[in-house]
Amino acid sequence: MNPALRAPIDTLKGVGPVRAAALERVGVRRVWDLLTLPPRRYLDYSRVVEPADAQPGEGAVRGRLGAFQRRPLADRPRVLLVESVLTGPRGRLTLHWFLPRNHARYVRFPPVGTTVVASGPVRAANGRLTMVNPVLEEEGRLQVAGRLLPVYPLSQGLSQGVLRRLVDQALDAYLPLVEEYLPEAVRAPLALLPLEQAIERLHRPENLEEATQARRRLVFDELFLWNWSLEAARAARQAQAAPALGPPGPLAARFLEQLPFSLTDGQREAMAVLDEDLTRPFPMRRLLQGDVGSGKTVVAAYALLRAVESGLQAALVVPTGVLCRQQEVRLQELYRGLGVRVLRYTGSLNEAERAQVEAELASGQPLVVVATHLFANLPRPPRLGLVVVDEEQRFGVRLRQALAGEGVHQLHMTATPVPRTLALTAYGDLDVTVLRGLPPGRHPVDTRWIPERKRDELYRFVRARVEAGERAFIIFPAIDSETQAQALVEQVRVLARGPLAGIPIGVVHGRLPEEERWSTLEAFRSGEVPVLAATTVVEVGVDVPEASVMVVEGADRFGLAQLHQLRGRVARSRSPAFCFLVATPRTPQARGRLNAMRTLDDGFAIAEADLRLRGPGELLGEAQWGAPEWRLASLPEDEGLLREARQALESYIEQVGWETVEGGPIGREAAARAEGEEGWGCG
Ligand code: ADP
Ligand code: MG
């Protein structure tokens, strides 16, 4: 990109600090941003018709201009209505202008009797058509009529007129400086417009097809360069050093031998992939995506052990304190007799305990530490070789970014599947492995939607199951205040006095101390307390295979991914499992979610349903995946183009080699576009 195009927007005539601020609100800081500001739509004045052929909507109409009449509006004293007509060979069209009174006399109209073209919105009222506030132009000097007029996104202090004039100014002065950087080899097969032409036609298209092609080229650029940046990040990572692990040794062999079950094919494949990644001298960045209950923990345990066997330290990072304890215990079980040290690092440790863990880590001895997000605050352990992040979707990009510069291997695990459409973008430069299949003997959970009036019946059923020796979760919507915590306790009391009388009920929510949450969970695990009333603190990861009943109260208030996670808690049971969604939903979306839960049980199918119900923006935003910030492109509309851009880049790299791409015009363009975007919004 020619550096002149990066000039700040106030380089343009007519842009002072106030307008610059308004432009910044629509994402325009540099001249380049204005040149590539996509119109939201176009007003179609491309076809000039005669008055008899005018249609409601918008249009350009040619005719002879009649006399003007001015009259005040009865209900709006400050407004003057100016009326005229356009006459053609076969009919007439009324023209109306609504003008501020004190301004009306400055408005100049062409002389009565001349032939003009009027462009503007046409409305039907009282059985006749009227064009409102049209622009009048004389034949031979048309600027609006005969064109598609861009309509830009506006912000306070900007009008279409101002923006259009600024765009014109920018095009006239800067368009000649736009340089093509995409090689013919990339452009030709996709019939992409040259860059300069695309920018001009984005703002001054002759017809909608031109506008579409212009946008296509610019969206392609954005996606192509975005893919380039992923490749560049990958190349940079591969240039980084990380400790390469040796091949699996006797410790790994003993671990596999003593597993209490035989691995699924999916687990075996995932371990093989990790073995390959970990023996490379540059950092692994892999995402292991496996549905709820697919058995990710044992895969993680294997990877952690491999690091320890190679004399390194390894960390398992989990989203909650309760999960931290659970995974510590699970690892200790899986490592029984192997002499692998497992430590825990959470907020509930006291100062001395913390110092103890820190000292052991600092000593550099090979071990595994299970930690919450506090891991990020720890002094970096000197021999850290691997970090596994469990339930990655709970951390989002922030933890990933915190670990980004590290020369350590990283394995991210998630049960939240991303719909195919978004998978292309969501994970940035992570390599993705899907953990296929579930351990044997799992059956689908019988999922039912229970209207609130049937709750009594439901709890009679729950009671019967519990009396038959089963265990049940009852989940309540999140708690973030003391009042809500009390409301939960109160609801539990109602159950304890009524339908569940005489049955011990444990209560777990986020406002209880971790110790108490853990001991209640343990009592539930052991069966001492057969009913656990909880908030979504048990949503992820909690593993109590004996539980077979899941009741979700207020189920319409949970998202689909959450409901699927919750149901996953009872999908591990050997006896038939039930999930009851108690809700009387008020919105179609909530009904859609409940129906999806009733009819689907595969996580990917649920993710696709979620995408349909909510749209990608919300889905990505909430989950905090690395949703890219594109200016022009958006999903799912541009999914096809995203694939094309990806393929085009891959085949070009194949043709000329990565070095040439990185060091050539494409790499320079990507760098130039990114420059000036840094510090965005920070003044
Ligand atoms: P998730 O993928 O949801 O984290 P977990 O790792 O917690 O799943 O495993 C779910 C349950 O399945 C655990 O109780 C675990 O012991 C069990 N499990 C894992 N792998 C197997 C297997 N290959 N065969 C039988 N049970 C398994
Ligand atoms: Mg898990």
Side-chain angles (χ1 to χ4, degrees):
M1 185 196 295
N2 189 316
L5 297 173
R6 290 205 301 268
I9 196 66
D10 61 9
T11 319
L12 295 180
K13 279 199 279 302
V15 181
V18 174
R19 231 166 232 176
L23 283 162
E24 177 145 9
R25 285 195 289 275
V26 292
V28 172
R29 278 205 334 176
R30 307 169 296 179
V31 170
W32 171 258
D33 305 329
L34 186 63
L35 288 174
T36 54
L37 179 69
R40 282 192 292 117
R41 61 190 188 96
Y42 299 87
L43 298 174
D44 190 355
Y45 299 137
S46 59
R47 240 167 49 82
V48 180
V49 300
E50 59 167 288
D53 297 328
Q55 300 280 335
E58 62 215 14
V61 178
R62 177 185 290 110
R64 204 157 42 77
L65 187 61
F68 291 93
Q69 277 155 30
R70 288 150 204 267
R71 54 192 153 85
L73 285 180
D75 50 339
R76 290 158 72 195
R78 289 164 184 278
V79 176
L80 193 70
L81 171 65
V82 179
E83 183 174 316
S84 182
V85 287
L86 271 191
T87 311
R90 291 183 291 119
R92 304 147 57 89
L93 177 71
T94 309
L95 308 178
H96 276 173
W97 290 266
F98 297 89
L99 301 174
R101 283 193 92 147
N102 54 6
H103 181 234
R105 62 195 159 108
Y106 300 112
V107 178
R108 294 274 164 268
F109 292 103
V112 172
T114 46
T115 296
V116 296
V117 180
S119 304
V122 178
R123 293 190 193 134
N126 308 327
R128 66 170 187 179
L129 294 180
T130 305
M131 189 181 274
V132 183
N133 293 332
V135 176
L136 297 185
E137 297 176 300
E138 288 169 52
E139 279 291 13
R141 285 198 276 155
L142 300 182
Q143 298 216 339
V144 171
R147 285 181 58 184
L148 291 176
L149 209 59
V151 178
Y152 297 100
L154 294 182
S155 75
Q156 182 80 39
L158 278 182
S159 69
Q160 289 300 341
V162 167
L163 258 175
R164 284 184 195 135
R165 276 194 300 278
L166 288 175
V167 168
D168 277 339
Q169 191 194 138
L171 285 174
D172 292 344
Y174 289 90
L175 198 58
L177 303 181
V178 171
E179 293 151 8
E180 185 57 75
Y181 69 94
L182 270 187
E184 192 61 23
V186 172
R187 267 185 16 234
L190 294 163
L192 294 171
L193 289 181
L195 185 55
E196 185 186 337
Q197 215 173 61
I199 290 176
E200 179 165 34
R201 289 187 181 174
L202 184 71
H203 306 287
R204 299 170 175 167
E206 296 270 325
N207 49 50
L208 278 180
E209 176 54 24
E210 278 194 10
T212 305
Q213 287 308 323
R215 183 181 179 278
R216 175 166 171 265
R217 162 68 208 251
L218 296 172
V219 172
F220 179 89
D221 277 30
E222 189 167 44
L223 297 173
F224 185 83
L225 292 171
W226 179 76
N227 272 303
W228 180 92
S229 68
L230 293 187
E231 282 306 313
R234 188 184 298 270
R237 156 158 73 89
Q238 298 188 350
Q240 240 181 351
L245 271 51
L251 193 63
R254 274 169 60 206
F255 168 83
L256 293 173
E257 259 159 43
Q258 72 178 41
L259 283 178
F261 39 69
S262 51
L263 293 172
T264 64
D265 291 344
Q267 287 169 325
R268 230 173 265 131
E269 281 161 28
M271 289 177 184
V273 169
L274 293 176
D275 270 333
E276 236 173 80
D277 285 353
L278 292 169
T279 46
R280 301 215 170 97
F282 55 84
M284 163 175 87
R285 294 281 183 279
R286 188 165 290 279
L287 182 86
L288 181 63
Q289 193 181 306
D291 211 343
V292 187
S294 59
K296 294 182 290 295
T297 308
V298 65
V299 177
Y302 176 73
L304 296 163
L305 179 101
R306 293 273 287 101
V308 170
E309 185 171 32
S310 298
L312 296 166
Q313 299 173 307
L316 175 62
V317 184
V318 299
T320 66
V322 162
L323 206 51
C324 197
R325 288 183 185 238
Q326 175 191 294
Q327 299 300 60
E328 177 197 19
V329 172
R330 289 271 299 276
L331 288 181
Q332 276 161 348
E333 285 164 8
L334 289 167
Y335 295 156
R336 185 160 297 150
L338 300 181
V340 177
R341 187 140 176 69
V342 180
L343 302 178
R344 177 168 58 89
Y345 191 80
T346 65
S348 70
L349 299 187
N350 64 35
E351 209 124 307
E353 290 167 325
R354 243 188 247 205
Q356 165 74 25
V357 175
E358 284 168 17
E360 279 203 55
L361 284 169
S363 77
Q365 61 165 306
L367 50 74
V368 174
V369 61
V370 186
T372 56
H373 65 283
L374 292 175
F375 178 73
N377 308 348
L378 263 175
R380 185 57 62 243
R383 300 277 297 148
L384 187 66
L386 168 69
V387 177
V388 179
V389 181
D390 197 7
E391 307 293 350
E392 145 85 18
Q393 78 283 355
R394 279 305 188 91
F395 295 100
V397 282
R398 236 163 284 147
L399 180 70
R400 217 193 287 165
Q401 278 162 357
L403 297 169
E406 301 284 334
V408 295
H409 300 291
Q410 288 174 30
L411 174 64
H412 300 262
M413 307 201 296
T414 181
T416 306
V418 168
R420 244 181 318 107
T421 333
L422 303 182
L424 288 168
T425 68
Y427 301 129
D429 83 321
L430 295 181
D431 300 315
V432 180
T433 297
V434 177
L435 183 53
R436 276 167 232 288
L438 296 173
R442 299 278 167 83
H443 9 249
V445 178
D446 187 341
T447 304
R448 301 183 191 198
W449 165 7
I450 310 288
E452 264 149 35
R453 64 192 153 76
K454 295 233 168 126
R455 283 177 81 230
D456 289 347
E457 211 174 301
L458 165 65
Y459 280 109
R460 277 199 294 279
F461 177 85
V462 172
R463 176 178 196 101
R465 301 293 299 176
V466 169
E467 283 171 350
E470 303 286 327
R471 263 166 259 172
F473 285 104
I474 306 172
I475 304 298
F476 294 87
I479 284 189
D480 35 57
S481 71
E482 202 48 47
T483 343
Q484 283 173 316
Q486 274 159 17
L488 167 63
V489 171
E490 186 47 41
Q491 273 174 296
V492 172
R493 215 171 277 146
V494 172
L495 289 176
R497 277 199 298 261
L500 300 183
I503 296 174
I505 305 177
V507 177
V508 168
H509 59 74
R511 294 180 72 86
L512 295 174
E514 192 188 304
E515 287 301 323
E516 191 176 337
R517 274 185 267 165
W518 176 249
S519 58
T520 308
L521 199 60
E522 281 296 274
F524 181 60
R525 213 187 293 278
S526 71
E528 192 186 317
V529 165
V531 175
L532 188 70
T535 57
T536 48
V537 290
V538 302
E539 171 189 333
V540 294
V542 167
D543 183 34
V544 181
E546 295 78 11
S548 66
V549 178
M550 167 64 66
V551 178
V552 184
E553 289 279 355
D556 50 328
R557 291 163 59 191
F558 293 88
L560 255 184
Q562 254 183 329
L563 290 173
H564 180 60
Q565 282 276 0
L566 285 170
R567 178 169 62 184
R569 297 309 114 218
V570 294
R572 302 149 191 238
S573 105
R574 257 152 243 120
S575 37
F578 296 89
C579 176
F580 299 106
L581 306 170
V582 184
T584 309
R586 286 171 226 299
T587 66
Q589 278 89 344
R591 272 192 291 278
R593 289 197 296 275
L594 296 175
N595 273 324
M597 285 299 293
R598 266 192 338 168
T599 51
L600 306 172
D601 75 0
D602 165 70
F604 279 96
I606 287 182
E608 299 284 346
D610 212 8
L611 179 66
R612 275 197 304 281
L613 285 166
R614 295 201 290 168
E618 204 184 324
L619 210 57
L620 281 171
E622 181 177 302
Q624 291 202 333
W625 281 302
E629 286 178 20
W630 292 325
R631 288 183 68 221
L632 291 92
S634 68
L635 291 176
E637 300 87 308
D638 295 316
E639 190 182 344
L641 212 48
L642 177 59
R643 284 179 207 283
E644 280 174 357
R646 170 97 226 142
Q647 272 159 19
L649 179 64
E650 274 170 11
S651 63
Y652 188 59
I653 291 174
E654 211 160 280
Q655 273 173 47
V656 302
W658 170 248
E659 265 85 70
T660 312
V661 180
E662 187 179 32
I666 294 175
R668 282 198 296 276
E669 182 75 11
R673 290 201 190 186
E675 196 177 307
E677 261 167 23
E678 275 153 14
W680 177 266
C682 308

